[in-house]
Amino acid sequence: MSRHDELVALVAEKIARIVKKFDAASVEHELTLSIGRVMLKQAKKDEFIEASIALDEQDERELDCSILPDEKARHIVDWLKAAKINNEPWLHNLDDMGRIKKLMKFSSLTQIHDEADKAMRIKAQQSLGATVSAGEERLIKVLEEGYHIVQMLTPTALDRESAYMQHCIGNGAYDEGLEDSKVEYLSLRDKMGKPHATLEIHDDLVVQLQGKQNKSPAPKYFGLIIPYLKDRKLGWSNDVAKQGGIYDSDYNFHSLDRPFPDELCVDGNIDFIETNISALPKNFKVIGNLSLDFTRIKSLEDGLDVAFDISLEDSDIEYISPNIKVGGDLMLANCQITELPDNLKIGGDLILGGSSLERLPNGLNVGGDIYAYDTGIIDIPSDLKCGMLVLNELVDTIPEGLSEDMMICIPNSSPLFFDPSIALHPSDAKILSLIPPEAEPVYRRPNVNSAPREVIVTIGYLRQQLEHVKSVSMSPSM
């Protein structure tokens, strides 16, 4: 694969992560033309992540292709969603190649974010005159000093909130959530009905708590909201860089400026991206996802217990204890770790694309799949347990002891030619297929010249094919 193709694949992975995290499938094309195109352009100039490893933290943050904070990514997604919902005319102004001209003019991620911010502010100003009729909002809770919390129930209510708060909940970007019973949009109002904070709640988890202009609410408003969240036992999606710290399971705030206490438990997600954190507290428990992407965390020690995913992509991680608990995926793409411990157990997928790992450890037990694209891993431990193994290259030997039903994904460019004369077991025939374009996760080769990217077969079938190829190669020539 050429360097260009490798960079295209890396950028595609980042776009896919944004799409998945912010439910942005409806604007994936627009994200690719804007964010993806800028990332690829910058990647060619700076050699993408590899070039930023040698930079200090501040310089690394200034590399447009290295980090796009969730807050900015969400803002761009909201802008594009609103534009499509409102069928903005600029979406139909295309160049000779059918690309949206407006999205082709940006040369940095900062420009894209600033354009999104400007557009959403203009829309908010246009909504200032919106009036909310009876039934468009519902009183949820009366607080002290005349403050109260209301739930916004209609697009007009969201537009009005957006106009006063100068953020992007209105103008269509969030209207879809109004139809979802698991989604709530709440507003903290004073006795005059003026909004001071906006909450977005999904499945009893606070995923956004925004003040005016997407800034954190003033401490006074936090203090008014927290008792309500406690009463409802809501979890928290902690954006540590924005909040400056973490809310634990008892809603106590722990500042990033001081060491976190041991035995800390957080009910919700934690995102440490763009922070200086270098070590986690002892016996840290997270009842949610833990994101340590682009951090200087070097080790995950005994006692770490994460209910769902741990992401360490592009981090400085060097050591992972075999005794950590990972209920979901462990994501190590593009990080510098060179070895995983024996007997490591992971509840979900193990994602290794672009990492420095050279082998899989003995006793590795993965509840989901293993994705080892762009690594030097070719050997399979005999006691490996996983759903599907995706390798960069085709292995030439299959160790004894592996489950015959375990699936393996091999690149189409491999020299192995499948012999159709070998009878397939019905389960093999069903499994032998192309990965569909929408398959998850996204660590897969580009589709070059419409050729199939990979094929998936069982270990049992692959073993038969390898034995067949070996026997043919050893046969005397005619």
Side-chain angles (χ1 to χ4, degrees), residues 319-323 337 339-344 361-362 364:
Y319 169 78
I320 296 177
S321 165
N323 299 316
I337 193 167
E339 189 174 45
L340 292 177
D342 291 343
N343 303 313
L344 180 64
N362 295 321
L364 179 61

Side-chain angles (χ1 to χ4, degrees), residues 14 17 23 27 141 168 170 210 230 245 249 255 294 308 351 354 369 412 426 440 466 477:
K14 292 185 177 294
R17 287 179 59 198
D23 191 22
V27 292
K141 182 75 173 180
C168 49
Q210 307 283 25
K230 279 186 177 182
S249 298
S255 174
F294 299 99
F308 300 113
I351 300 173
D369 303 328
N412 183 59
E440 292 290 350
L466 289 172
S477 59

Side-chain angles (χ1 to χ4, degrees), residues 21 27 42 51 74 98 105 119 162 180 196 244 260 274-275 328 332 358 360 404 432:
K21 186 162 189 175
V27 292
Q42 190 71 25
R74 187 194 298 272
K105 72 178 184 179
S162 181
D180 190 336
H196 294 278
F260 294 135
E274 284 203 309
T275 69
L332 299 171
E358 297 180 352
L360 294 175
E404 297 288 292
L432 183 59

